[in-house]
Amino acid sequence: MCRIGAIKSRNYTHPSSALQLMQSQQKGHDNSGFAMVMQDLGGIFAEYKHLPTLSMACTDEGIRIAEDILHEAGFLRVLQWAPEVDDQPGLDINAMPNYVFETFSYPRHMRNASQREKEDMLLDTRLRLRTALEDDEQGFVYSFWPDVITLKEIGDPRDIGTYFNLWEADERFTAKVITAQCRQNTNYDIVRYAAHPFFLQGYTALANGENTFYLKNKEFQQGLHRGYLGFESDSQCFLYTLHYIHRELGWPLHYYKHVVTPLPFDDIEQRDDKKQLLAIRQSLAHLEINGPNTIIGLLPDNTMFTCCDAKKLRPVVIGRDEETVVISSEVCGINEILPDRDWETDIYPNEREVVMINDDLEVQRWKQ
Amino acid sequence: METMKLNDVTANDLPWKVRYDASRCTLCGSCVATCSFRAIEAKVERRRMVFSEGNFPEPKQRFSAVPVIRQPKSIRNYCRGCGMCEKVCPNDAIRPDRNPDTRHPIVTRCLGGDSIKRGGRKNLEGSTRTLDKIRVGRISQMTDPSLDAQRHTFDLLAPFGRILPPKKLPFATDINQQLQSNETTPPVNWIYPVIIGDMSIGALSWRMWEAVAMATAYLNEECGIPVRMCSGEGGVPVRLLKSKYLKYMILQIASGHFGWNRIAKAMPHMIEDPAGILIKIGQGAKPGDGGLLMAQKVAEHIQAIRGVPKADLLSPPNHQGLYSIEESVQKMFLSFNAAFKFRVPVAIKVAASATSVSVFNNLVRDPYNIVGGFFLDGIDGGTGAAHEVSLDHTGHPIVSKLRDCYLAAVTQGRQGQIPLWAAGGLGKTGDLAADAFKMIALGANGVFTGKLILQMAGCIGNDLGRCNACNTGLCPAGITTQEPQLAHRLDPERAAQNIVNYFLAMDTEFKKLMAPIGNSSLPVGRSDALVSTDQSVADRLQIQHVC
Ligand code: SF4
Ligand code: SF4
């Protein structure tokens, strides 16, 4: 089973906090991996927020292939950072030869393109890289997006932290939002792409649970958008639905809940907006999820939210102080990094609500 | 003694032999009175007894005339094996026995020079049904818990009506971040995933039709189960058309347009809209064939409802002027949509066929989003009357065809936009919940059922040649007859009660199937929940093979 967590702070935060948040919950998962997405970057990336950063794990050949593609597309590298690895013997990590975090300037012909055009081009480039590196597992391309970094690896989260020197906080590698999950294992194989958080065009999602409507979701999603692919994990469907509802359909975020866990028909009948809710339930019937799960999502504007299945079979807790809001599968994780908070303000969301944290750290509880 | 010729019909040529035990018979006459087919008659047998009374053989003979029950040697009044005689006999003195050596199929054709007609469904049983080779094999346990069938709530509803693709929803966000719809969208009714399917008031006795209508109303009003009933082609009593119960009815139109004169006339007086319109193009039991109501069944009230004289009523195999799918879409659907002011969904029913997927593809691509349901009827569907050759030898099994249509929709990313409803022998083994559930997991939104409803009411016909005499108007159970004496055998309230109880049982069984796979709404297209022990079935349906 997965454990998930997210930190959103006014201050730049080092991933060591995310490791601590997850470490205390280690009895709840199988210690088979660690993955995180950092957004709203500080440290060495702070100056380059408007430019896309590539997050990739690959072989030497993989680097060459990827750089050729990017070069040909007209991207120019402006920053390169590779974590200093501590490859001490005995660490439980299934490391790739290289971890690449590189920031690029846009190709000349794209500089005056609209935001939307740039975003679509970034997606297409990432997909091209992904395909090119697929053969012989030359590399895994997790994100290629401004102000976002993704790191995923197979192994024991504690050792992964040691390997990447992430236990020691520093000023160089920080972000205001970090989402993290421990467990690489899907219900099937151990696959790098199967680890959440998943990322697509500014949207991040991670989940703890099972999506028993996976097949329905997948069969529907794969025709909706070229970016909806992979499906290595049933939780990817949560991301694609989020992206579809918010970006493709342009609906306000709270409708996400109505899509994934629609109200029972009897309840819809009682509502003033029944016409809309029924239409949503009908047209997006194949995006409904079933089974136990909690979702944490992140939007391009750094809005963070969480919601769970319609029976609250998977819980989640939100704790906060003045500076930071933390979401976690288990409250012990929050106790670890916000020990002095007023725990009476902790929120245990119910099955029919969405808790949203905007960029001013204002927490809104929205009832479905 | 009668002289027998080689080609004379004898009991041994007939499908059933009546076994009669004179020694148990009390001569009450109940069996003869009961047999609606006149397949038994009271006769007097001449008996000769030879006896000798003295010490030496001194044969004498005694003659007597004994009243007995006999089976006429006729291909007209032959025993259908309905067992009514056995049912009414106080002494177990009579019963039909299946005759495995029957020459009936040959003799009937030779003597009549006409094709054999009957009711029921396909009687050629090949092997185990496909659905029985499929199990619900993906059980939720541990991290993904099963639900509690008693405690949790389940959304057991299916759409009837055209569903727009998400990008076509006419939504705009207002200043309060709420979606507002600024246009009307096609009507969709969410109903129980089992429709009581289309048996006309001419095919059924008025008492049976009333029983079904009563059960439908009761299930809706008292049990909160929103079941809909389809009228079949043949009209609806005006009283019902003008009542509030019309909202539970799906009105059918087929190529004969029977009954539509009255429906059209009743429109200004309707206080509720019907639940939907079903345009019947074809039927699984006799694909390519139109409806058939034999003159025997065209009683006075049927003549009135349908507006016809007493004659064989044949619906043409085709809708006049319907030459293309596009035309069917435009003409028929638009006129019905307009007639009910775009408030009533309109669907189409076709016989499953090797070509169903192309028809479905055409409809699903229709840019006007008109067709509100694709009803697909397989070879095992029942009928009131058809040529036996059509019943047994034409048609297409429903399971793979439904799956093909669903997967065709998946390929186009249009699953769910035209709801798929499947039928054709579902519930044949008596267990409709299991069959329906498997069809839903394979991609159906719901199913429809007819024959099983009759069996709930007391029909004793089966797929092994028992009875199936629905075409004769002599239904021994009072179900498919317009003869007042026979129709009165059926107690409509009791039949309605049976139907209601069956649906209540089925509703529980649906939950018992949804709970272990952990789903609270219908798992439409969740084929990952199914497994098959048969490799070819698994391959064909794209589900997991297990052994
Ligand atoms: S079984 Fe039915 S058809 Fe046959 S003799 Fe008895 S009542 Fe008549
Ligand atoms: S009992 Fe009636 S409805 Fe059933 S098969 Fe016989 S004639 Fe048909």
Side-chain angles (χ1 to χ4, degrees):
Chain A
M1 203 187 289
C2 312
R3 285 294 179 264
I4 53 176
I7 302 169
K8 181 164 169 55
S9 178
R10 289 188 206 283
N11 311 314
Y12 286 114
T13 308
H14 186 262
S16 55
S17 302
L19 280 168
Q20 274 161 16
L21 171 66
M22 303 315 292
Q23 189 59 33
S24 58
Q25 306 176 56
Q26 57 126 338
K27 286 208 177 69
H29 58 81
D30 67 358
N31 292 298
S32 61
F34 176 78
M36 64 172 180
V37 172
M38 297 165 66
Q39 181 165 316
D40 198 349
L41 303 174
I44 52 172
F45 292 97
E47 299 300 307
Y48 301 96
K49 281 179 172 290
H50 57 295
L51 294 179
T53 297
L54 176 68
S55 301
M56 170 172 89
C58 59
T59 61
D60 293 346
E61 174 67 5
I63 295 195
R64 197 191 54 72
I65 299 172
E67 287 187 343
D68 282 355
I69 290 174
L70 289 167
H71 186 77
E72 198 183 314
F75 285 99
L76 289 178
R77 189 168 67 207
V78 295
L79 174 72
Q80 181 178 26
W81 180 77
E84 258 172 52
V85 301
D86 174 4
D87 195 5
Q88 47 177 276
L91 290 184
D92 174 9
I93 177 169
N94 198 346
M96 289 293 287
N98 304 292
Y99 294 87
V100 173
F101 301 94
E102 290 179 335
T103 307
F104 293 85
S105 63
Y106 284 101
R108 188 178 299 278
H109 69 277
M110 289 303 292
R111 295 213 175 127
N112 296 323
S114 70
Q115 186 63 14
R116 194 92 183 177
E117 282 168 336
K118 281 184 183 162
E119 291 175 359
D120 284 345
M121 188 267 303
L122 289 179
L123 170 64
D124 288 332
T125 310
R126 177 173 65 81
L127 297 181
R128 189 134 38 95
L129 292 171
R130 177 181 165 134
T131 314
L133 298 179
E134 227 149 35
D135 290 344
D136 305 329
E137 301 209 326
Q138 295 288 6
F140 300 87
V141 187
Y142 299 121
S143 58
F144 185 38
W145 202 254
D147 214 14
V148 168
I149 273 182
T150 308
L151 178 69
K152 302 186 177 186
E153 207 37 271
I154 299 169
D156 184 330
R158 184 197 303 262
D159 292 350
I160 294 172
T162 307
Y163 184 84
F164 289 111
N165 270 317
L166 292 181
W167 287 107
E168 290 288 313
D170 66 32
E171 301 281 302
R172 287 163 51 78
F173 191 45
T174 56
K176 288 190 179 168
V177 188
I178 304 178
T179 54
Q181 184 263 150
C182 287
R183 189 190 192 218
Q184 192 74 28
N185 189 356
T186 67
N187 291 339
Y188 308 98
D189 298 328
I190 293 189
V191 183
R192 284 188 176 77
Y193 279 130
H196 24 151
F198 302 107
F199 179 86
L200 176 63
Q201 290 193 310
Y203 293 83
T204 303
L206 56 166
N208 167 22
E210 312 237 356
N211 173 10
T212 54
F213 276 174
Y214 165 63
L215 183 72
K216 290 174 64 150
N217 287 181
K218 171 184 157 175
E219 284 180 343
F220 191 62
Q221 288 172 336
Q222 59 198 9
L224 287 178
H225 193 273
R226 65 191 185 290
Y228 304 167
L229 80 179
F231 296 98
E232 291 87 357
S233 153
D234 55 7
S235 300
Q236 255 159 337
C237 302
F238 302 130
L239 172 70
Y240 298 154
T241 296
L242 174 63
H243 179 271
Y244 188 68
I245 300 305
H246 198 254
R247 181 182 162 103
E248 295 301 302
L249 295 178
W251 294 353
L253 176 63
H254 57 262
Y255 287 98
Y256 180 65
K257 181 74 176 154
H258 283 295
V259 172
V260 291
T261 59
L263 291 170
F265 288 101
D266 288 348
D267 295 2
I268 290 181
E269 265 319 297
Q270 312 302 323
R271 301 263 302 219
D272 291 341
D273 53 353
K274 68 175 173 198
K275 195 173 159 207
Q276 289 83 334
L277 296 188
L278 206 52
I280 292 172
R281 183 157 193 188
Q282 282 164 195
S283 293
L284 295 166
H286 289 260
L287 295 184
E288 182 183 343
I289 59 170
N290 238 258
N293 40 60
T294 288
I295 304 164
I296 298 175
L298 189 61
L299 306 187
D301 67 358
N302 300 326
T303 300
M304 191 156 88
F305 73 91
T306 181
C307 56
C308 70
D309 64 81
K311 298 193 176 59
K312 201 181 173 181
L313 294 170
R314 282 281 182 285
V316 73
V317 198
I318 299 149
R320 54 193 151 148
D321 64 14
E322 291 301 303
E323 303 292 308
T324 307
V325 177
V326 180
I327 306 178
S328 169
S329 294
E330 296 181 49
V331 73
C332 58
I334 305 178
N335 295 344
E336 200 68 37
I337 54 174
L338 294 181
D340 302 326
R341 76 188 189 287
D342 173 7
W343 55 266
E344 283 184 9
T345 64
D346 286 359
I347 300 171
Y348 291 80
N350 71 36
E351 64 277 14
R352 287 294 173 201
E353 78 178 335
V354 181
V355 179
M356 276 186 278
I357 301 114
N358 70 14
D359 214 16
D360 297 326
L361 246 51
E362 186 191 331
V363 177
Q364 295 171 19
R365 299 179 72 164
W366 171 76
K367 193 169 169 320
Q368 182 178 10
Chain B
M1 215 166 96
E2 291 171 64
T3 327
M4 288 301 296
K5 297 220 176 84
L6 180 71
N7 273 315
D8 285 352
V9 174
T10 64
N12 204 29
D13 295 320
L14 301 175
W16 297 85
K17 288 186 189 173
V18 177
R19 292 290 173 223
Y20 166 69
D21 182 347
S23 68
R24 304 191 64 120
C25 179
T26 60
L27 301 179
C28 71
S30 301
C31 54
V32 177
T34 297
C35 179
S36 54
F37 304 103
R38 297 177 201 279
I40 40 177
E41 52 194 12
K43 280 220 158 175
V44 177
E45 275 177 3
R46 178 170 175 260
R47 302 253 174 97
R48 175 174 160 234
M49 196 181 167
V50 179
F51 62 99
S52 175
E53 284 176 331
N55 289 338
F56 299 99
E58 203 179 327
K60 294 180 198 158
Q61 51 185 343
R62 193 164 66 214
F63 288 91
S64 59
V66 183
V68 291
I69 305 298
R70 287 266 299 271
Q71 184 174 14
K73 300 171 180 80
S74 156
I75 55 154
R76 242 175 268 288
N77 309 333
Y78 64 95
C79 171
R80 311 288 180 135
C82 73
M84 290 297 156
C85 49
E86 186 178 2
K87 212 172 232 185
V88 297
C89 178
N91 276 7
D92 293 335
I94 190 165
R95 64 160 202 276
D97 267 5
R98 188 183 298 280
N99 176 14
D101 302 313
T102 175
R103 295 177 67 237
H104 182 253
I106 300 164
V107 172
T108 312
R109 289 180 173 103
C110 292
L111 291 179
D114 195 4
S115 76
I116 300 176
K117 296 174 199 70
R118 63 171 177 86
R121 14 171 134 88
K122 178 178 69 125
N123 272 191
L124 295 181
E125 267 321 308
S127 50
T128 321
R129 298 182 324 145
T130 304
L131 286 173
D132 294 329
K133 294 178 182 160
I134 299 174
R135 295 285 182 272
V136 180
R138 193 257 184 225
I139 306 303
S140 294
Q141 294 169 86
M142 303 284 287
T143 58
D144 147 33
S146 305
L147 302 178
D148 183 333
Q150 266 81 41
R151 198 165 53 89
H152 282 114
T153 49
F154 295 84
D155 257 351
L156 275 165
L157 291 179
F160 184 121
R162 182 56 173 254
I163 290 172
L164 292 180
K167 287 206 166 160
K168 285 239 170 111
L169 289 174
F171 282 170
T173 311
D174 69 11
I175 42 165
N176 299 319
Q177 291 292 295
Q178 298 299 318
L179 292 175
Q180 298 299 343
S181 7
N182 39 29
E183 283 168 41
T184 51
T185 49
V188 180
N189 292 328
W190 283 84
I191 59 179
Y192 202 68
V194 179
I195 291 177
I196 299 181
D198 38 342
M199 296 172 292
S200 74
I201 200 166
L204 300 187
S205 68
W206 74 96
R207 286 168 74 87
M208 179 60 196
W209 205 86
E210 188 189 336
V212 182
M214 217 156 38
T216 306
Y218 191 91
L219 282 164
N220 278 280
E221 307 250 316
E222 300 295 325
C223 312
I225 299 183
V227 176
R228 298 292 175 266
M229 160 182 176
C230 180
S231 65
E233 182 198 22
V236 175
V238 172
R239 200 157 53 99
L240 180 52
L241 288 171
K242 293 183 184 171
S243 80
K244 65 172 182 167
Y245 301 112
L246 181 63
K247 61 180 183 242
Y248 305 137
M249 302 295 301
I250 294 166
L251 303 179
Q252 180 166 94
I253 184 160
S255 54
H257 295 199
F258 291 126
W260 273 85
N261 196 7
R262 273 203 177 196
I263 295 176
K265 280 196 189 132
M267 276 183 196
H269 310 289
M270 289 180 184
I271 52 170
E272 288 279 354
D273 286 328
I277 306 291
L278 186 59
I279 301 174
K280 180 182 132 185
I281 305 285
Q283 164 178 8
K286 44 177 173 178
D289 225 350
L292 172 59
L293 190 68
M294 313 286 271
Q296 302 91 291
K297 290 173 77 171
V298 187
E300 245 171 67
H301 61 281
I302 302 299
Q303 296 171 31
I305 293 175
R306 296 196 174 194
V308 292
K310 190 171 182 74
D312 278 358
L313 298 182
L314 296 130
S315 301
N318 249 319
H319 287 261
Q320 271 190 331
L322 193 154
Y323 296 111
S324 68
I325 297 166
E326 288 74 12
E327 194 172 326
S328 79
V329 167
Q330 284 165 12
K331 262 195 192 159
M332 304 205 50
F333 284 84
L334 281 177
S335 47
F336 279 107
N337 278 323
F340 288 100
K341 309 228 166 20
F342 291 85
R343 291 189 310 249
V344 177
V346 184
I348 190 171
K349 172 179 165 183
V350 297
S353 133
T355 57
S356 306
V357 174
S358 17
V359 174
F360 178 68
N361 273 337
N362 274 293
L363 297 176
V364 101
R365 287 189 199 121
D366 129 49
Y368 309 105
N369 298 309
I370 293 173
V371 180
F374 195 61
F375 283 62
L376 201 54
D377 194 13
I379 187 170
D380 277 322
T383 181
H387 296 259
E388 185 168 74
V389 70
S390 314
L391 271 171
D392 284 349
H393 299 282
T394 61
H396 192 300
I398 187 60
V399 182
S400 68
K401 195 44 65 182
L402 177 277
R403 182 79 178 135
D404 289 350
C405 286
Y406 179 74
L407 291 176
V410 168
T411 306
Q412 300 185 45
R414 291 176 183 271
Q415 53 269 59
Q417 291 175 18
I418 296 186
L420 283 165
W421 290 79
L426 304 180
K428 211 172 172 180
T429 55
D431 192 350
L432 184 57
D435 285 0
F437 189 79
K438 291 171 190 175
M439 293 304 280
I440 288 171
L442 288 170
N445 291 90
V447 302
F448 53 111
T449 182
K451 179 72 183 167
L452 183 64
I453 302 290
L454 306 191
Q455 288 169 322
M456 292 174 203
C459 158
I460 42 68
N462 66 19
D463 313 317
L464 302 167
R466 192 180 190 206
C467 198
N468 292 336
C470 329
N471 61 317
T472 59
L474 300 172
C475 171
I479 292 171
T480 54
T481 176
Q482 306 299 343
E483 292 283 338
Q485 303 92 311
L486 292 175
H488 275 96
R489 288 186 184 178
L490 182 90
D491 173 357
E493 304 216 340
R494 183 63 207 277
Q497 188 185 337
N498 286 357
I499 297 170
V500 167
N501 282 341
Y502 190 97
F503 270 81
L504 293 177
M506 182 169 65
D507 197 58
T508 306
E509 287 163 351
F510 271 133
K511 292 173 188 163
K512 277 287 176 199
L513 289 163
M514 287 166 75
I517 64 165
N519 288 162
S520 51
S521 51
L522 286 175
V524 179
R526 243 204 96 183
S527 54
D528 59 316
L530 302 179
V531 298
S532 176
T533 46
D534 183 308
Q535 177 83 58
S536 50
V537 167
D539 290 350
R540 183 67 182 78
L541 301 177
Q542 299 182 26
I543 59 178
Q544 205 182 122
H545 175 232
V546 294
C547 56

